[in-house]
Amino acid sequence: MLLKFWGTRGSIPAPIRPDEVEQKVVSALTLAGQQNVDLTNPDNIATFVKSLALNATTVGGNTTCITFEIGGKLFIFDAGSGIRELGQYLMSAPDEKTKQWGFNRGKGHAYLFFTHTHWDHVQGLPFFNPIHVPGNVFDVYHVHDHVPQSLARQMEAAFFPLQFDQIGATLNFHRLDEGERIKVENVVISNIELKHPGKAYAYRLEADNAVAIVATDSEYQSLDNVDTLKYRNFYANADVLIFDAMFSVRESFVKEDWGHSSALIGADMASEANVKRLLLFHHDPTSSDAEIAQILSETEEYLERQGKFLEVIIAREGLELELTNPTIISDFYIKDQLKNDVIYITVSGKFGGQATERFRKHLAHSLNSHGSDKVILNMKGVTEMQMAGIRALVDARRNVMSLALVDIPENVYRVIELSGTTDFFAIYDDEETALTAFNSH
Ligand SMILES: [Zn+2]
Ligand SMILES: [Zn+2]
């Protein structure tokens, strides 16, 4: 199951402004100067730019559109302005897969689901070129009765030059009942009503041993267990929860009945429902990339303070996630950051046989992408250490020139002692002490 985002903004498209681009260039070049990045080497520059994350790139400005590729079939969720980009991609057929799909030859077939018909979820459809190619077929699923009429209304002559009944492709509409569970190809899809003006519907997709939830445009007014239970049940054990994180918590309390939620409420909902990855989605058009990055770091801090180890990701245009990846693990969490040529890796949760492959891959990737082989491994959040974890650390020493273990909880340290390997590692109380030791060598 391959998930891809084509538009992640809510309400209205919010393209990045020229002054924002300028600001990104200025801050990137300033940082490159401070870090003495070799600006004559394109590979070094690319690595450096990647490490800047949202300081150098953007979540994008298009409104909601998400696709899943499952068993070679294309499932589209919502038709905000992001669907125009999807259309360009399908029509230009740049790879084997899209050539085979044949949307540019009138041979294409896809499933299109609507959460609801607010502008930001339908406005891209008239500009989705594959619907203008005779021969293409779209099976359109919706819960609201009025979806076909609403799609037609936005293409009335007063709003658009071409009318809905002049569309070249065939659109087959399928109305779903609230709570209905259907099987489309190999995918089991169910829905639940969300609290939103005029209602919106969340979809749960199950296929390829993976579960994905699209739950955008929803407000959770009462956070009492009895009221959130139906949502938590619907989101339970998902690999990804795509969540309406448009507001801050404060706004979600003040703007009651506006129908949107926040990242921190999503964090609670996801961790209570045992979700593996929380995707922050439906960004406010007025939020800058820096503000969205700030929301992410606050959400991570919030979870960390609760002792929860759930991965949180900002949904941005172009982001792809393969959900059948066996290395997605709910009880082990790893992230890294490059500061002054040292890679800081934080691991949390249960460090056992379920986590080692992911640890190895992540370590190899960060050594590669950051171009440093000095690693400070912060183990503060490790709740359980097993021999497989020790083995992975012992192996890591071989690939890393300087590896320091810091902030090791007492129980974890005792396990390292029991394994008789304490002398294999450079162990320090905290990150500063380790850094001083690195610098004195
Ligand atoms: Zn919306
Ligand atoms: Zn809406």
Side-chain angles (χ1 to χ4, degrees):
M1 191 190 282
L2 179 72
L3 161 64
K4 185 165 180 182
F5 292 93
W6 301 86
T8 65
R9 290 275 175 184
S11 303
I12 191 165
I16 188 165
R17 292 190 313 269
D19 65 298
E20 291 175 310
V21 176
E22 221 171 274
Q23 190 48 50
K24 282 178 196 286
V25 175
V26 169
S27 58
L29 288 178
T30 310
L31 210 63
Q34 285 164 358
Q35 296 188 6
N36 292 319
V37 178
D38 175 7
L39 294 178
T40 58
N41 179 333
D43 289 344
N44 280 359
I45 298 173
T47 305
F48 167 71
V49 168
K50 277 230 159 14
S51 76
L52 295 173
L54 280 185
N55 290 318
T57 177
T58 173
V59 300
N62 281 304
T63 52
T64 62
C65 180
I66 303 166
T67 54
F68 293 90
E69 285 168 32
I70 308 169
K73 289 287 179 177
L74 182 65
F75 293 76
I76 308 167
F77 284 77
D78 281 348
S81 67
I83 202 171
R84 189 187 65 83
E85 306 281 353
L86 170 64
Q88 300 288 100
Y89 166 67
L90 296 175
M91 294 298 282
S92 65
D95 48 31
E96 254 336 287
K97 179 176 68 190
T98 41
K99 280 191 180 76
Q100 210 160 35
W101 281 342
F103 286 95
N104 53 346
R105 295 180 278 119
K107 300 276 182 220
H109 174 240
Y111 300 99
L112 172 56
F113 285 75
F114 282 99
T115 61
H116 64 313
T117 55
H118 282 161
W119 270 349
D120 48 327
H121 302 261
V122 299
Q123 65 197 162
L125 193 67
F127 302 91
F128 179 53
N129 285 336
I131 65 161
H132 300 297
V133 180
N136 286 338
V137 177
F138 294 90
D139 279 292
V140 185
Y141 290 82
H142 57 100
V143 186
H144 300 82
D145 283 322
H146 61 79
V147 168
Q149 293 88 313
S150 301
L151 296 179
R153 279 173 64 194
Q154 73 163 347
M155 290 179 75
E156 281 173 12
F159 304 110
F160 199 71
L162 190 81
Q163 273 60 77
F164 194 64
D165 56 10
Q166 296 173 296
I167 282 176
T170 304
L171 271 57
N172 302 318
F173 286 95
H174 309 271
R175 204 194 79 80
L176 299 168
D177 284 329
E178 216 173 279
E180 190 180 339
R181 195 179 157 89
I182 52 166
K183 195 160 181 197
V184 182
E185 304 283 346
N186 275 333
V187 192
V188 175
I189 302 175
S190 39
N191 72 75
I192 189 176
E193 183 192 322
L194 298 172
K195 188 167 169 35
H196 192 66
K199 293 182 186 178
Y201 291 88
Y203 292 99
R204 178 182 173 100
L205 287 77
E206 301 175 39
D208 296 352
N209 294 320
V211 177
I213 314 279
V214 178
T216 188
D217 293 63
S218 184
E219 156 166 30
Y220 305 87
Q221 261 172 10
S222 163
L223 298 174
D224 296 347
N225 268 353
V226 46
D227 296 311
T228 57
L229 180 67
K230 63 178 174 194
Y231 303 113
R232 286 183 285 123
N233 282 342
F234 192 78
Y235 304 157
N237 304 314
D239 296 273
V240 283
L241 169 61
I242 300 168
F243 195 82
D244 177 342
M246 184 165 172
F247 289 164
S248 66
V249 171
R250 185 196 157 85
E251 272 176 312
S252 74
F253 294 155
V254 177
K255 295 181 175 173
E256 217 171 52
D257 294 326
W258 287 41
H260 295 288
S261 186
S262 71
L264 296 191
I265 289 172
D268 280 345
M269 202 74 82
S271 60
E272 295 291 312
N274 193 33
V275 165
K276 298 182 182 68
R277 286 170 161 185
L278 173 66
L279 272 289
L280 307 180
F281 185 72
H282 204 276
H283 309 298
D284 194 301
T286 65
S287 295
S288 66
D289 290 309
E291 282 164 340
I292 294 168
Q294 174 73 15
I295 292 169
L296 173 67
S297 67
E298 284 170 8
T299 311
E300 286 178 335
E301 183 190 341
Y302 173 65
L303 283 164
E304 211 171 297
R305 288 183 187 274
Q306 318 280 329
K308 301 276 168 58
F309 312 109
L310 141 84
E311 197 168 354
V312 187
I313 300 174
I314 296 171
R316 59 175 164 77
E317 276 173 40
L319 176 69
E320 286 185 12
L321 294 170
E322 179 52 73
L323 302 185
T324 33
N325 190 339
T327 60
I328 298 173
I329 293 139
S330 61
D331 51 2
F332 178 74
Y333 183 53
I334 180 163
K335 63 175 180 177
D336 66 73
Q337 195 187 5
L338 182 74
K339 272 188 284 183
N340 300 321
D341 205 33
V342 175
I343 303 170
Y344 290 79
I345 297 183
T346 309
V347 285
S348 327
K350 180 176 164 185
F351 202 167
Q354 94 298 4
T356 46
E357 193 197 345
R358 178 152 174 227
F359 174 75
R360 284 197 184 94
K361 279 191 176 161
H362 195 108
L363 180 69
H365 178 77
S366 38
L367 291 172
N368 223 335
S369 63
H370 294 314
S372 165
D373 55 3
K374 285 182 222 144
V375 174
I376 294 180
L377 187 71
N378 192 314
M379 302 177 62
K380 186 170 54 185
V382 176
T383 49
E384 217 178 293
M385 173 60 90
Q386 296 182 337
M387 290 310 117
I390 305 261
R391 171 87 232 186
L393 290 177
V394 170
D395 292 345
R397 272 182 339 151
R398 297 205 191 106
N399 305 319
V400 183
M401 199 163 73
S402 309
L403 174 69
L405 311 187
V406 306
D407 261 330
I408 307 178
E410 217 176 286
N411 58 327
V412 174
Y413 186 81
R414 182 65 190 136
V415 171
I416 302 177
E417 275 185 335
L418 288 172
S419 73
T421 58
T422 40
D423 62 323
F424 283 18
F425 304 109
I427 295 175
Y428 299 95
D429 286 346
D430 50 38
E431 292 177 351
E432 275 115 84
T433 327
L435 191 63
T436 315
F438 276 2
N439 290 337
S440 67
H441 285 162

